[in-house]
Amino acid sequence: KNEVEQSPQNLTAQEGEFITINCSYSVGISALHWLQQHPGGGIVSLFMLSSGKKKHGRLIATKNIQEKHSSLHITASHPRDSAVYICAVDRIQGAQKLVFGQGTRLTINP
Amino acid sequence: EPEVTQTPSHQVTQMGQEVILRCVPISNHLYFYWYRQILGQKVEFLVSFYNNEISEKSEIFDDQFSVERPDGSNFTLKIRSTKLEDSAMYFCASRLGGPTGFFGPGTRLTVL
């Protein structure tokens, strides 16, 4: 079983729609990251969460420690938001390497 | 804003050849990582490096792989004898002491 599970794997929506991507994890973590990967392959860090909620522009990330769950929301989605969104966690044990989810491929159509 | 850089952006090599992937982490960072992503798969941890030695490595990181921080600024990943299945995107990351947050843009390695 994967330590980090994301859903959905693929998501297609129309411009302007509210987007939610979910992440569940099964291990003890010190932090959770939301990352964005564009077709060229580079990874950009969007959020690092210890707990609670963070907002940056149209992006909102929430984390529920008890339920071991996080969500990434995109408001007023735009075609330029099309990318793969990856959830990754910093495990408490070990060298604090990141453990990655499989990613959610988001496509926003105009 | 400081950033992690990687060179080359794309490396094509023949099976059995040695390759060295280079990374320049953020200058005051202490912990360094290599990850890889095979096309269509999730990103996987390869190795972490701290205080001039490997602190953890995955099953993928066998004797064909090695890492080095030769001059205090570069952080390199060497694959001694490349295999077809080594074709992937390789990401370097670094952190100062808090959670990892800084990734390089990646090197796409293609083994023919």
Side-chain angles (χ1 to χ4, degrees), chain B residues 25 37 42 47 51 60 80 93 102 111:
Chain B
Q37 184 181 34
K42 66 180 180 179
V47 66
N51 201 25
I60 304 165
R80 262 180 274 279
F102 297 89
V111 182

Side-chain angles (χ1 to χ4, degrees), chain B residues 8-111:
Chain B
S9 57
H10 191 188
Q11 172 97 45
V12 181
T13 190
Q14 295 290 326
M15 192 169 56
Q17 294 296 304
E18 174 184 286
V19 294
I20 298 176
L21 310 183
R22 290 184 166 79
C23 168
V24 179
I26 294 171
S27 61
N28 63 338
H29 282 192
L30 301 175
Y31 299 81
F32 313 105
Y33 303 82
W34 283 102
Y35 296 90
R36 81 168 185 192
Q37 184 181 34
I38 294 171
L39 188 64
Q41 297 185 21
K42 66 180 180 179
V43 180
E44 305 171 286
F45 167 76
L46 288 179
V47 66
S48 59
F49 193 85
Y50 170 72
N51 201 25
N52 280 321
E53 60 182 22
I54 291 173
S55 46
E56 188 174 348
K57 59 184 181 180
S58 71
E59 293 173 354
I60 304 165
F61 195 88
D62 61 22
D63 292 344
Q64 292 300 311
F65 291 88
S66 62
V67 288
E68 208 176 32
R69 190 157 159 78
D71 55 12
S73 62
N74 290 284
F75 179 50
T76 61
L77 174 69
K78 182 193 289 187
I79 309 175
R80 262 180 274 279
S81 178
T82 50
K83 302 189 278 278
L84 295 175
E85 54 265 36
D86 294 328
S87 294
M89 188 78 131
Y90 289 80
F91 293 101
C92 172
S94 72
R95 67 183 179 95
L96 176 58
T100 310
F102 297 89
F103 283 86
T107 293
R108 184 172 299 282
L109 176 65
T110 302
V111 182

Side-chain angles (χ1 to χ4, degrees), chain A:
Chain A
K1 186 182 184 299
N2 291 329
E3 293 176 332
V4 181
E5 294 276 0
Q6 285 184 238
S7 63
Q9 289 190 34
N10 293 283
L11 178 56
T12 300
Q14 291 300 122
E15 183 173 355
E17 285 189 41
F18 181 81
I19 303 299
T20 296
I21 299 170
N22 296 299
C23 175
S24 297
Y25 51 93
S26 58
V27 293
I29 70 171
S30 57
L32 182 143
H33 302 259
W34 281 103
L35 310 165
Q36 183 189 56
Q37 186 173 34
H38 278 283
I43 291 177
V44 174
S45 180
L46 298 174
F47 292 104
M48 191 277 291
L49 289 166
S50 300
S51 63
K53 180 177 174 178
K54 282 191 177 179
K55 185 176 189 293
H56 185 251
R58 295 181 294 106
L59 302 178
I60 303 166
T62 63
K63 180 169 174 272
N64 185 314
I65 297 172
Q66 288 80 13
E67 295 185 5
K68 293 189 173 180
H69 180 268
S70 175
S71 293
L72 176 69
H73 306 285
I74 305 175
T75 61
S77 58
H78 190 276
R80 65 174 173 265
D81 297 326
S82 298
V84 175
Y85 291 84
I86 302 171
C87 172
V89 300
D90 266 300
R91 297 185 66 184
I92 290 174
Q93 292 176 327
Q96 285 193 284
K97 63 181 186 286
L98 288 181
V99 179
F100 291 77
Q102 74 273 35
T104 295
R105 183 173 299 278
L106 174 65
T107 303
I108 303 296
N109 293 319

